[in-house]
Amino acid sequence: MDAKAKERAGMTSSQAAAILTRLKSRLLEGLSSAEVATILASASIRRFAANSVITNEGDSAEQLFLILDGSARGYTVSPQGEKIVLRWVRPGEVIGWATLLSRPMEYIVSSEAAKNSSALVWDRAAIQSLAATLPRLVENAMVIVYGYVVTYRSLHLAALCDSAPQRLAQVLSQLATGMGHRVADGMELHIGNEDLANEAHVTIFPVSRQMREWQRQGLVRKGRGRVVVRKPEALLRVDV
């Protein structure tokens, strides 16, 4: 890893390696310490302020990002100009899978930092060189992308079969478990009703109504741009 890049990011190689070890990123699963060190040596570190753009939909996919801390969201913009969040990216997860393909591709969605974040960054040439010499890296990527297909299948079935409150309960429970940070009375998420509506594929009005009801029941605590899910598993058991 370039020393100047590390200094700019305020993080040393050992600190980045320690974070990767703690995160247990699925991209690096099954790789030896020496192989991980080789991968790390090819990366730079970048910091992103909250709401700053990481990738733009339609741009050539020239960089792959592994989120170290903070979080990000992938989104697209509807023909009516509405930003629609498609995916939340946690520490240890990746943005820019298209860089692994030999054929030049575009980013199919935009992404931005959901809060102040840092990421390891590989240029397309660097990540492709690593993929050519480390087949496990490609296998890990394929397993992760396969997981996205499984998730899409579940979401599509939920959109067809589940009620709006059921979909919202699933979204809140999954986000709280995967991306929330612990506070005194539960798991806190920095997310608004509009993002929850997009995630659950409902309009904002049922979300607002249901959140008020769950707050009355003591299942959530709502604030401006944030929500505390007191018992994520309990949301999946409520009668909706």
Side-chain angles (χ1 to χ4, degrees), residues 9-218:
M11 185 180 296
T12 66
S13 290
S14 59
Q15 287 172 327
I19 291 173
L20 283 177
T21 300
R22 175 174 54 81
L23 290 176
K24 294 180 171 59
S25 173
R26 294 171 65 200
L27 180 65
L28 306 178
E29 194 172 275
L31 294 166
S32 69
S33 298
E35 289 169 332
V36 172
T38 298
I39 294 169
L40 190 59
S42 300
S44 60
I45 298 179
R46 287 181 59 187
R47 291 200 61 80
F48 297 92
N51 302 312
S52 62
V53 172
I54 300 174
T55 64
N56 283 302
E57 181 176 343
D59 283 358
S60 177
E62 296 295 335
Q63 292 181 313
L64 182 139
F65 305 81
L66 189 154
I67 301 298
L68 286 174
D69 58 40
S71 62
R73 52 188 165 235
Y75 67 92
T76 191
V77 178
S78 73
Q80 293 74 34
E82 179 185 6
K83 181 188 288 186
I84 301 174
V85 175
L86 301 173
R87 177 186 168 223
W88 293 88
V89 187
R90 299 174 292 179
E93 296 183 341
V94 170
I95 296 168
W97 292 110
T99 55
L100 285 165
L101 302 175
S102 59
R103 178 181 173 183
M105 303 292 284
E106 298 177 347
Y107 294 117
I108 60 172
V109 298
S110 297
S111 60
E112 64 184 7
K115 53 186 175 182
N116 292 340
S117 305
S118 60
L120 287 169
V121 185
W122 291 267
D123 290 336
R124 183 168 178 267
I127 198 65
Q128 290 206 349
S129 176
L130 291 166
T133 57
L134 298 171
R136 182 58 188 263
L137 189 66
V138 178
E139 181 181 346
N140 288 345
M142 291 180 68
V143 169
I144 294 168
V145 172
Y146 174 78
Y148 295 157
V149 177
V150 173
T151 298
Y152 173 77
R153 174 185 178 274
S154 298
L155 291 173
H156 191 65
L157 283 173
L160 292 173
C161 303
D162 292 347
S163 67
Q166 286 173 325
R167 296 199 300 274
L168 180 59
Q170 290 169 5
V171 165
L172 266 178
S173 179
Q174 290 168 2
L175 288 177
T177 302
M179 292 188 62
H181 66 274
R182 186 163 296 283
V183 294
D185 57 340
M187 301 297 290
E188 185 178 60
L189 290 166
H190 291 264
I191 192 169
N193 283 354
E194 186 174 352
D195 288 332
L196 287 172
N198 288 334
E199 286 280 318
H201 303 289
V202 297
T203 63
I204 194 168
F205 302 109
V207 170
S208 299
R209 182 173 62 249
Q210 191 64 54
M211 293 297 286
R212 287 194 299 270
E213 174 60 21
W214 284 339
Q215 180 159 271
R216 187 188 65 79
Q217 296 175 18

